Short mmCIF file of all heavy atoms in Angstrom, two decimals:
data_model
loop_
_atom_site.label_atom_id
_atom_site.label_comp_id
_atom_site.label_asym_id
_atom_site.label_seq_id
_atom_site.Cartn_x
_atom_site.Cartn_y
_atom_site.Cartn_z
N ARG Z 371 9.00 13.84 29.97
CA ARG Z 371 8.26 12.64 30.36
C ARG Z 371 6.81 12.70 29.90
O ARG Z 371 6.06 11.75 30.06
CB ARG Z 371 8.36 12.43 31.87
CG ARG Z 371 9.77 12.07 32.31
CD ARG Z 371 9.88 11.88 33.79
NE ARG Z 371 9.25 10.65 34.25
CZ ARG Z 371 9.22 10.29 35.53
NH1 ARG Z 371 9.73 11.06 36.46
NH2 ARG Z 371 8.64 9.15 35.88
N PRO Z 376 9.25 8.77 22.07
CA PRO Z 376 10.48 9.55 21.96
C PRO Z 376 10.57 10.15 20.56
O PRO Z 376 9.99 9.61 19.62
CB PRO Z 376 11.57 8.50 22.18
CG PRO Z 376 10.92 7.20 21.90
CD PRO Z 376 9.47 7.34 22.19
N PHE Z 379 11.30 8.11 17.47
CA PHE Z 379 10.23 7.20 17.00
C PHE Z 379 9.72 7.65 15.64
O PHE Z 379 9.49 6.84 14.74
CB PHE Z 379 9.09 7.19 18.02
CG PHE Z 379 7.82 6.52 17.53
CD1 PHE Z 379 7.68 5.15 17.62
CD2 PHE Z 379 6.78 7.27 17.00
CE1 PHE Z 379 6.52 4.53 17.17
CE2 PHE Z 379 5.62 6.66 16.55
CZ PHE Z 379 5.48 5.28 16.64
N ILE Z 610 -7.25 6.85 21.95
CA ILE Z 610 -6.38 5.73 21.59
C ILE Z 610 -7.13 4.66 20.79
O ILE Z 610 -6.70 4.25 19.72
CB ILE Z 610 -5.75 5.08 22.84
CG1 ILE Z 610 -4.73 6.04 23.47
CG2 ILE Z 610 -5.10 3.76 22.51
CD1 ILE Z 610 -4.17 5.54 24.79
N TRP Z 632 -13.77 4.14 29.00
CA TRP Z 632 -13.37 4.28 30.40
C TRP Z 632 -12.56 5.55 30.56
O TRP Z 632 -12.21 6.21 29.57
CB TRP Z 632 -12.61 3.05 30.89
CG TRP Z 632 -11.31 2.76 30.24
CD1 TRP Z 632 -11.11 2.08 29.08
CD2 TRP Z 632 -10.01 3.10 30.74
NE1 TRP Z 632 -9.77 1.98 28.82
CE2 TRP Z 632 -9.07 2.60 29.81
CE3 TRP Z 632 -9.55 3.78 31.87
CZ2 TRP Z 632 -7.70 2.75 29.99
CZ3 TRP Z 632 -8.18 3.94 32.04
CH2 TRP Z 632 -7.27 3.42 31.10
N LYS Z 641 -8.34 8.07 43.65
CA LYS Z 641 -8.34 7.74 42.23
C LYS Z 641 -9.74 7.30 41.84
O LYS Z 641 -10.28 6.32 42.36
CB LYS Z 641 -7.34 6.60 41.95
CG LYS Z 641 -7.19 6.30 40.46
CD LYS Z 641 -6.27 5.13 40.19
CE LYS Z 641 -4.82 5.44 39.92
NZ LYS Z 641 -4.45 6.51 39.04
N PHE Z 687 -13.40 -1.53 39.23
CA PHE Z 687 -13.12 -0.95 37.92
C PHE Z 687 -12.76 -2.05 36.93
O PHE Z 687 -13.31 -2.14 35.83
CB PHE Z 687 -11.96 0.04 38.05
CG PHE Z 687 -11.37 0.48 36.74
CD1 PHE Z 687 -12.13 1.21 35.83
CD2 PHE Z 687 -10.06 0.15 36.39
CE1 PHE Z 687 -11.57 1.61 34.62
CE2 PHE Z 687 -9.52 0.56 35.19
CZ PHE Z 687 -10.27 1.29 34.30
N ALA Z 688 -11.83 -2.91 37.35
CA ALA Z 688 -11.34 -3.95 36.45
C ALA Z 688 -12.45 -4.90 36.03
O ALA Z 688 -12.59 -5.24 34.86
CB ALA Z 688 -10.18 -4.68 37.10
N LYS Z 712 -16.29 -11.19 41.04
CA LYS Z 712 -15.95 -12.07 39.91
C LYS Z 712 -17.09 -13.03 39.61
O LYS Z 712 -17.25 -13.47 38.48
CB LYS Z 712 -14.66 -12.85 40.20
CG LYS Z 712 -13.45 -11.96 40.17
CD LYS Z 712 -12.16 -12.75 40.25
CE LYS Z 712 -11.00 -11.81 40.53
NZ LYS Z 712 -9.79 -12.49 40.95
N GLU W 515 8.47 3.58 31.19
CA GLU W 515 8.96 4.74 30.44
C GLU W 515 10.26 4.43 29.73
O GLU W 515 10.48 4.87 28.60
CB GLU W 515 9.18 5.93 31.38
CG GLU W 515 7.88 6.61 31.80
CD GLU W 515 8.12 7.70 32.84
OE1 GLU W 515 8.36 7.34 34.02
OE2 GLU W 515 8.07 8.87 32.47
N VAL W 518 9.35 2.58 26.57
CA VAL W 518 8.74 3.45 25.54
C VAL W 518 9.80 4.36 24.93
O VAL W 518 9.88 4.52 23.72
CB VAL W 518 7.59 4.27 26.15
CG1 VAL W 518 7.11 5.33 25.17
CG2 VAL W 518 6.44 3.36 26.54
N LYS W 519 10.65 4.93 25.78
CA LYS W 519 11.71 5.83 25.31
C LYS W 519 12.65 5.15 24.34
O LYS W 519 13.19 5.78 23.43
CB LYS W 519 12.55 6.29 26.51
CG LYS W 519 12.26 7.66 26.98
CD LYS W 519 13.32 8.13 27.95
CE LYS W 519 13.07 9.60 28.24
NZ LYS W 519 14.07 10.17 29.11
N MET W 521 11.89 2.54 22.52
CA MET W 521 11.11 1.87 21.47
C MET W 521 11.14 0.35 21.55
O MET W 521 11.18 -0.32 20.53
CB MET W 521 11.58 2.37 20.11
CG MET W 521 11.21 3.85 19.99
SD MET W 521 11.50 4.53 18.39
CE MET W 521 13.26 4.53 18.36
N ASP W 528 -1.09 2.42 27.67
CA ASP W 528 -2.22 3.24 27.22
C ASP W 528 -2.55 4.42 28.13
O ASP W 528 -2.90 5.47 27.66
CB ASP W 528 -3.49 2.37 27.06
CG ASP W 528 -3.48 1.60 25.76
OD1 ASP W 528 -2.52 1.75 24.97
OD2 ASP W 528 -4.42 0.83 25.52
N CYS W 529 -2.46 4.24 29.45
CA CYS W 529 -2.86 5.32 30.34
C CYS W 529 -1.68 6.19 30.73
O CYS W 529 -1.80 7.03 31.63
CB CYS W 529 -3.57 4.78 31.59
SG CYS W 529 -2.43 4.09 32.81
N ALA W 532 -0.50 5.90 34.70
CA ALA W 532 -1.37 6.33 35.80
C ALA W 532 -1.95 5.16 36.59
O ALA W 532 -2.83 5.36 37.41
CB ALA W 532 -2.50 7.19 35.26
N ALA W 534 -3.92 2.96 35.58
CA ALA W 534 -5.35 2.94 35.26
C ALA W 534 -5.68 1.93 34.16
O ALA W 534 -6.81 1.90 33.71
CB ALA W 534 -5.81 4.34 34.85
N ASP W 562 -4.92 -8.33 37.93
CA ASP W 562 -5.90 -9.41 37.79
C ASP W 562 -6.42 -9.52 36.38
O ASP W 562 -6.83 -10.59 35.93
CB ASP W 562 -7.10 -9.10 38.70
CG ASP W 562 -7.04 -9.94 39.97
OD1 ASP W 562 -6.11 -10.77 40.07
OD2 ASP W 562 -7.91 -9.76 40.83
N PHE W 563 -6.47 -8.38 35.71
CA PHE W 563 -7.10 -8.36 34.40
C PHE W 563 -6.12 -8.12 33.26
O PHE W 563 -6.52 -7.81 32.15
CB PHE W 563 -8.25 -7.35 34.42
CG PHE W 563 -9.32 -7.78 35.37
CD1 PHE W 563 -9.26 -7.42 36.71
CD2 PHE W 563 -10.34 -8.62 34.95
CE1 PHE W 563 -10.21 -7.87 37.62
CE2 PHE W 563 -11.30 -9.07 35.85
CZ PHE W 563 -11.23 -8.70 37.19
#
Side-chain angles (χ1 to χ4, degrees):
Chain Z
R371 292 179 72 181
F379 168 84
I610 290 174
W632 64 276
K641 186 183 266 315
F687 167 65
K712 289 189 193 166
Chain W
E515 285 174 284
V518 171
K519 257 192 172 183
M521 293 188 290
D528 280 358
C529 77
D562 258 356
F563 295 88

